[in-house]
Amino acid sequence: MAWSEWQTLPLRSPADAAVLAEILDGGQAFRWHRDAAGVWTGIWGDCAVRLRLAAGAGLQWSAPAARAAAAGPALAEYLRAGDDTSAEADALPWRSDPHLARCLAAFPGLRLLRQPLGETLLGFLCSATKRIAQIKQMVALLAERQGAPLDAAPSAFHRLPTWVELAGASEADLRACRLGFRARHIRATAQFLAGHPGWLEETAAAPYPAARDRLALLPGVGAKVADCVLLFGAGRPEAFPVDTWILRAMARHYGLSGWKPAQVAHFGRAHFGPRAGLAQQYLFAWERRHRE
DNA sequence: TACCAGGTGGAGT
DNA sequence: ACTCCACATGGT
């Protein structure tokens, strides 16, 4: 397949190679892969894109030639290229929080993505008690076996299946994607969403507490997955997902040993403020880098 | 081998 | 309301 020429995409708040890896492959999205030359290939919605950091030229992208015209604006939206994410980080309470201050310093340019809502939900429905590498494997199998090819050509990239498509898959089809017990949840959620067009989008547009509560009505979606969907797939930075890494971070650095996830989530939103979810991503990156 | 992984839902207090 | 634990699968 033919790729377009490399084009520069200026990020208002740039990131180096390590931070770019954290953005693309740090647990927000599950469809980015880096080759030996350091080129990233990623798929979201009906877009496939390659990214690289070129010395002196910053972030560059290329897309399948037939789709390159649409890919540029879609990529800018996905990466929130024009948003002043450094100002967003600077507005966090790092001046009175030494641990947050060193997290910000350790990952300059870290940002929240703006991913498609439905596939963010699918990714995080796969995430329960799985490592990121294994979530990526499940998502890859779902795309390969259940998702339509992006182009008519064989061996092309596949998008993820829509919820309507997933509703038509059998649980055996889903279990063949190595989903384990998550297959039942994904199938039940698919059947609900297929029967309620627009429900997901309405939910994401609701005020934060209502949106979170409504998402948690879906089978397999609890507080943590709901927060991830809102944070990474709906542009809702007040969401504060609490997983095992955040529990550990808050115990180690904030004295919250023994606190329950719901208590930590409440503390996080109160302490870090209206962009608590951005702080959460910094804490998450720090904790994973400093795992024992 | 035993334990853990970007949890959730159901059963039993 | 809170605690405990099964749930599939793969890696260390």
Side-chain angles (χ1 to χ4, degrees), chain A residues 18-291:
Chain A
V19 173
L20 182 64
E22 194 62 35
I23 293 166
L24 299 176
D25 201 21
Q28 297 189 57
F30 304 108
R31 300 203 70 191
W32 287 94
H33 300 269
R34 181 171 50 186
D35 70 17
V39 176
W40 290 93
T41 301
I43 307 167
W44 73 95
D46 58 1
C47 297
V49 162
R50 298 190 303 176
L51 287 179
R52 70 181 186 189
L53 276 176
L59 187 65
Q60 296 186 314
W61 65 274
S62 105
R67 293 174 167 268
L75 178 64
E77 163 79 9
Y78 180 91
L79 290 176
R80 302 174 50 234
D83 288 8
D84 194 346
T85 55
S86 290
E88 294 169 5
D90 191 60
L92 296 173
W94 59 272
R95 292 171 184 80
S96 56
D97 182 335
H99 179 62
L100 179 60
R102 68 178 175 175
C103 291
L104 298 185
F107 297 93
L110 185 64
R111 64 180 55 221
L112 297 168
L113 298 173
R114 180 60 188 269
Q115 301 181 74
L117 182 61
E119 64 181 60
T120 307
L121 173 60
L122 180 56
F124 282 95
L125 271 171
C126 294
S127 72
T129 66
K130 276 296 179 190
R131 301 186 188 209
I132 291 170
Q134 296 177 331
I135 300 166
K136 289 173 70 174
Q137 181 57 36
M138 290 186 276
V139 167
L141 283 168
L142 279 167
E144 181 185 322
R145 300 186 180 196
Q146 302 293 329
L150 284 185
D151 297 289
S155 84
F157 299 109
H158 287 233
R159 61 167 173 73
L160 282 170
T162 66
W163 286 107
V164 170
E165 288 166 346
L166 282 170
S170 70
E171 189 169 329
D173 289 336
L174 298 178
R175 284 189 181 263
C177 296
R178 320 314 293 164
L179 299 175
F181 62 83
R182 302 156 196 82
R184 169 190 290 276
H185 295 150
I186 288 170
R187 179 166 159 77
T189 285
Q191 292 181 334
F192 176 86
L193 292 178
H196 297 79
W199 187 94
L200 192 55
E201 291 70 21
E202 281 176 37
T203 298
Y208 168 69
R212 202 171 81 130
D213 291 348
R214 258 177 66 126
L215 279 174
L217 295 174
L218 296 171
V221 178
K224 188 270 179 186
V225 168
D227 271 342
C228 286
V229 172
L230 291 172
L231 184 59
F232 306 134
R236 304 297 291 274
E238 64 268 55
F240 190 83
V242 177
D243 69 345
T244 55
W245 294 102
I246 295 301
L247 279 179
R248 181 185 305 191
M250 300 308 279
R252 280 183 175 175
H253 307 297
Y254 295 83
L256 306 189
S257 298
W259 285 41
K260 304 287 171 13
Q263 296 175 306
V264 169
H266 188 267
F267 176 94
R269 292 192 297 270
H271 177 72
F272 296 114
R275 293 192 175 275
L278 179 59
Q280 181 272 170
Q281 202 57 25
Y282 277 99
L283 297 174
F284 180 83
W286 174 279
E287 212 59 31
R288 290 205 317 131
R289 177 178 287 183
H290 296 90
R291 75 187 82 186

